[in-house]
Amino acid sequence: MNIFEESKVLDSHLSSESTTIELSCLESSYPFSTVQQLSRTTPEYSSSPIPNFDRCNSQLNEKNTLMSASEQSSVVQPLLTDLYQISMAYAYWKGNKHTEMATFDLYFRKNPFGGEYTLFAGLEECLKFIRDYKFDPSDILYLRSVLPDYVEAEFFDYLLNLNMNDIKLYAVPEGTVVFPRIPLIRVEGPIFHTQLLETTLLNLVNFASLVATNAARFRQAAPAQKVLLEFGLRRAQGPDGGLSASKYCYLGGFDGTSNVLAGKLYDIPIKGTHAHAYVSSYESMDDLNERNLRDRISREVRPFADLCLQYLNEVGKILNILPDETNKGELAAFASYAIAFPTNLLALVDTYDVLKSGLPNFLAVARALHECNYKAIGLRLDSGDLAYLSLEVRKRFIETGQKFGLPYFNDFQIVASNDINEDTLISLAKQGNSIDTFGIGTHLVTCQKQAALGCVYKLVELAGIPRIKISQDVEKVTIPGRKNLYRVYGHDGKALCDLLTKFDEPVPQKGVKILSRHPFSDQRRAYVTPSSVTSLYKLYWADGEIKEPLPALKQIREYATDQLLHLRTDIVRDLNPTPYKVSLTNDLFNFMHELWIRSVPIGELN
Amino acid sequence: MNIFEESKVLDSHLSSESTTIELSCLESSYPFSTVQQLSRTTPEYSSSPIPNFDRCNSQLNEKNTLMSASEQSSVVQPLLTDLYQISMAYAYWKGNKHTEMATFDLYFRKNPFGGEYTLFAGLEECLKFIRDYKFDPSDILYLRSVLPDYVEAEFFDYLLNLNMNDIKLYAVPEGTVVFPRIPLIRVEGPIFHTQLLETTLLNLVNFASLVATNAARFRQAAPAQKVLLEFGLRRAQGPDGGLSASKYCYLGGFDGTSNVLAGKLYDIPIKGTHAHAYVSSYESMDDLNERNLRDRISREVRPFADLCLQYLNEVGKILNILPDETNKGELAAFASYAIAFPTNLLALVDTYDVLKSGLPNFLAVARALHECNYKAIGLRLDSGDLAYLSLEVRKRFIETGQKFGLPYFNDFQIVASNDINEDTLISLAKQGNSIDTFGIGTHLVTCQKQAALGCVYKLVELAGIPRIKISQDVEKVTIPGRKNLYRVYGHDGKALCDLLTKFDEPVPQKGVKILSRHPFSDQRRAYVTPSSVTSLYKLYWADGEIKEPLPALKQIREYATDQLLHLRTDIVRDLNPTPYKVSLTNDLFNFMHELWIRSVPIGELN
């Protein structure tokens, strides 16, 4: 069983080579056995009145996963839309056109960040929005107050009783690598209903896909062994902007977040130790109210503060610095943190001076922890030249480890933060550095390089008749009609192109040459002979229910990672990547261009 | 009564000139009589089970205002924080330091968008967060699962029973123009409590202030008579990112939004008519199920569709275009929209071709509306060269109005949208255009020019002892200690500088020369002799309650607009604005620099 279990593998005569690549890609990602079903009920977890502290973590995590599926931001509701959707709904209703069956495509026109790929995300949120679609009586009251007096009471009754049971939603699976102009979501149903969904679906897909793609690009920019943590909550665009960023950065390949609520709701690993304020909160070793630590093994009480001071002298000799000159408030802060979390010391070392104060203080406390049979984790740099400092710090780890006869000191983790972006990661990788983990905030979560993805939602068919939207900007012209979408693979198992067909065209076949056409340009054509073909759409919503099991976030993350691994490297690279081809069949091309020319008025020269 | 009613006007011997300017500025903005008090109860509005359609709008709006004060995004909760806040809280608790009284300053280091001013926003949300601060038992269960086993049950009990009744929050009023390094919020209380607030307060202030400032800059870039509408929901960073943007763009000077939920929750005017999909949904005049419209005055049924076709011929002659060549689906769409909203026709005219199709179709329908004693509103341009098109369209309005003998055609509104940013507004103003209203989305709400504001939250005093945070980046050094903040005005009533003082220094006096110092640079000093002085802080939270009446959004908006009007124009201008001075008293400067030098270790050359 795999993600495409219900979409046909269109040719069973695949070459063994491409089959292997394709199936291994898919099987590793969405194992059916752990897939969850969305539930309409309130999660048991959040309704539990008293915490049961005896529950083991694995139970808890299971509950979290269920919870993540049914939590939704309270502002995602039918009124979270543009006024004109409601105005149009009324005009359709008034013109007795509201039950006509419509098809809308949701897609974008350009990959973000100057790249040539995008990760599709936000689908689960869209499905929950559709499932729970219901106007509140207070919404109707409000609408009545803002629409003209002549809008009939029957219209408001119609709104009040509205649900989305009559619509169908097709989509590519969440986490799929997608490209400009391919419809990510196709919505079919009465135009009244389908029109009302536009703004909210766009809102839910746009940022989710943008930030997931951003995270994937950061991931590509850093060597695979580096750990990437999302630390952006405080700078994100609002509370939910922060929560969404944590969720979709994880989807895009990050390893964890500092955001505790994201950890609770989405079962994402959470990380973090202490801030500058913690360091500043100690002035001297006299501030330590608790000065002892029990030995991990013997449970004997040890004079930990004194051990720290004693080892600071030794560290000073090794590193040739004056122990008197390290900040003793900082030493006290590290010591107190180690007393609280003897298994978890990761010290922020740049409050005063990394090499002259923070590092020796950390090493002294780490050595004292060793004396009590604990091991420190490492340190964090949050300012200055991160590449240089990390290399200097590593040298001193090794030097101190050698002198103390403790080789594990060599491998203390170095975490770096401070305004890191994609370019910083690329530059750091080139310069050489000894950083193990990056904590990344602002640039990642707010997508500084490009703060919005331009998904649109366009009417392509109504009452069985294809519709086109022309514009003076050619790239804004829509591809009309209901369409199918196929990904065509070459003999090396890599995707050759995506192919849009008319809804009733035969599916592309293995070994059968197809003429593929650029959507807008007559001259740009190519033959393609597939080694295999997959159909990208699945039916996710129909008959008032979610039709597909929805994978957990972790599984979507694995699937997305896998999708990127199987994309041609020249498409993924950061500098001048090759555009991936999104083509039309010859039939669809001709059909589109006939409709286009029919819709454009002919002027008269004069 | 005005916004500073409880802060002293520090010198009662103000010159009459500056008094007048200052008071008129303040009185116009926060009239006390309409100020609302935050209520802890659920708003009656949202709990009303059945809408009462007979309620008049003014009642409704009153309720909305109340509602806006008590609504809060469900994700704003104690767990919406970084893990290290919880880790630090535990370490403070474990080190028996958690009850020490701390002072934290919330401030930013650089104005956004290359400008020299910022609007402070988000305060009300911060106060609601503090008022409602309460861990859920499920939160505790989750935290227990992620923290080490040795963290004591007593700590979790302490968290579970935690509230913010022991802290005090001082702030400058929401909507105040603020500058780098002045603390916008000062939080005092046990370090356990105050530390836990950091991430969430930053999250709530950062984006709110950023997007409010962005809106203010857009407002400055457009001539005052132009209407600015926020249309950004679909491209915003998440659902709440969209809602926050709508709210704070209004605060920053926008005139309305398309976001219906923002209209309901915050009583913001909402605007919008129809989209391209509405136009594409009609193929021809045969698609009109409803072809008639009643005359507004006589109530006689008129053959509206036929009138439109008849007037299209006349418009064709006037504009010298072929009536056959306009798109008849578009004409049908405009006609049907006019039938639904005869008082509200604002037609989107770029689906096929603005000048050859959209405009003549609109004019035909407008003329037909006139025949039925209605007036159209205008049209919207969403692509192409907006300056050129608006001027061409206006010419044709005038030409057609003259021929029809209907001068009000001259004044049809022209609304422009399509990827407008601050630079576009400045360029359009220079080029000349005939646009009345701008609908602005992506660039505004996601703050494309700079997607994040870097507010920080720094410990400045603990247990009565001032704290400093040094860093290898000089600009990251904090100004230690509890401080007061004054705005010093010159004899023209304009602000000269902001002055930070030690908490126990005497307040600056009118006519008494003060030495003001640059925070980081010894050499940069200036004498300033105030004509008047205001104290910027108010106590907003203490004793477990909100201490100040909180103004409605509209009042904050007026106050913010007024603040900008009273700032020197060279500080507000878009190109190379003059930095506003934020200074320290000589005492504070010396105090800070002594602490600084004491905290930095002396190295040894070798």
Side-chain angles (χ1 to χ4, degrees), chain B residues 418-440:
Chain B
N418 189 26
D419 230 20
I420 291 168
N421 61 24
E422 193 186 342
D423 296 336
T424 319
L425 288 174
I426 293 168
S427 159
L428 282 168
K430 277 189 197 148
Q431 288 172 65
N433 66 77
S434 196
I435 298 162
D436 301 294
T437 298
F438 291 96
I440 306 181

Side-chain angles (χ1 to χ4, degrees), chain A residues 298-309:
Chain A
S298 71
R299 308 309 293 154
E300 189 192 339
V301 172
R302 306 294 305 271
F304 191 73
D306 296 337
L307 284 174
C308 291
L309 281 166

